[in-house]
């Protein structure tokens, strides 16, 4: 199974993202202030072109990522679609930190669960034996695919 189709398959099942206060912007943005100055005047083609349908728009008409049902495949479709050039740098990916909240994670209560491990193609979720998973800050790309797969909403975006 290719990376894209695998991601699409595993990303299809969703749960709620728990931390809604933190706004995660689409990838490829070198200058984050442009979201506020350019996006409100734009037709939002980045959201239209995102096959994973993770780009949503706030009341202020700026785009944000919603990982509740899928994640980012790094396909660059949003960058190609962004005429104002807010998304313009392929070397910059999603600016976010992803962590497992041990107080919500079943595996930290010695219940076997590998729901998050499977969709992580970067192998960033490290288990201590069969339990106690943690996300490697070095390996995690913040793609978001694990977030909606956690049955207890234990994977969170942190500031
Ligand atoms: S890179 Fe692709 S999957 Fe990721 S947000 Fe952009 S269009 Fe969506
Ligand atoms: S296409 Fe570019 S300018 Fe338009 S909403 Fe998306 S990120 Fe903003
Ligand atoms: S741990 Fe990081 S790299 Fe792995 S699926 Fe989750 S967000 Fe993506």
């Amino acid at each position: 199974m290719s990376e894209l189709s695998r991601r699409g398959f595993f990303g299809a099942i969703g749960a709620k993202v728990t931390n809604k206060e933190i706004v995660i912007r689409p990838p490829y943005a070198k200058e984050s202030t442009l979201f506020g100055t350019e996006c409100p005047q734009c037709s939002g083609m980045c959201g239209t072109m995102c096959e994973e349908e993770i780009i949503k728009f706030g009341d202020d008409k700026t785009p944000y990522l919603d990982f509740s049902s899928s994640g980012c495949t790094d396909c660059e479709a949003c960058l190609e679609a962004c005429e104002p050039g807010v998304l313009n740098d392929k070397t910059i990916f999603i600016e976010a930190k992803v962590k497992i909240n041990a107080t919500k994670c079943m595996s930290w209560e010695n219940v076997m669960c590998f729901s998050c491990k499977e969709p992580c193609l970067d192998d960033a979720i490290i288990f201590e034996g069969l339990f106690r998973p943690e996300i490697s800050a070095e390996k995690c790309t913040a793609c978001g695919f694990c977030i909606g797969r956690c049955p207890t909403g234990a994977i969170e975006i942190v500031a």
Side-chain angles (χ1 to χ4, degrees):
M1 196 182 282
S2 72
E3 176 165 319
L4 282 186
S5 60
R6 186 167 182 264
R7 289 204 138 146
F9 175 77
F10 286 120
I13 308 157
K16 289 284 171 218
V17 177
T18 51
N19 195 339
K20 291 211 178 279
E21 295 85 47
I22 298 171
V23 174
I24 310 302
R25 295 300 188 189
Y28 318 127
K30 198 169 190 173
E31 181 49 70
S32 62
T33 58
L34 295 179
F35 286 113
T37 57
E38 302 300 320
C39 299
Q41 288 82 248
C42 174
S43 60
M45 282 303 287
C46 57
T48 305
M49 297 308 289
C50 179
E51 288 192 353
E52 299 299 325
E53 299 180 358
I54 59 172
I55 300 181
K56 314 285 184 192
F57 292 86
D59 293 340
D60 61 358
K61 298 190 174 148
T62 66
Y64 66 93
L65 298 184
D66 176 357
F67 292 133
S68 58
S69 61
S70 195
C72 177
T73 59
D74 194 12
C75 70
E76 299 177 5
C78 51
L79 178 146
E80 305 293 341
C82 181
E83 285 186 9
V86 177
L87 312 180
N88 61 3
D89 190 332
K90 292 180 183 178
T91 67
I92 295 174
F93 200 51
I94 297 163
E95 303 275 356
K97 285 196 178 73
V98 183
K99 286 192 94 173
I100 292 176
N101 182 339
T103 65
K104 294 183 183 173
C105 171
M106 294 192 294
S107 187
W108 277 81
E109 296 293 334
N110 296 326
V111 176
M112 218 177 277
C113 173
F114 299 102
S115 297
C116 59
K117 189 171 176 61
E118 215 170 20
C120 182
L121 300 184
D122 299 290
D123 204 20
I125 305 184
I126 316 293
F127 283 70
E128 196 183 301
L130 297 175
F131 301 104
R132 296 172 173 260
E134 289 187 285
I135 293 178
S136 161
E138 288 73 38
K139 289 184 167 182
C140 178
T141 61
C143 70
F145 274 96
C146 58
I147 291 174
R149 294 294 303 279
C150 175
T152 59
I155 306 178
E156 300 175 348
I157 307 278
V158 293

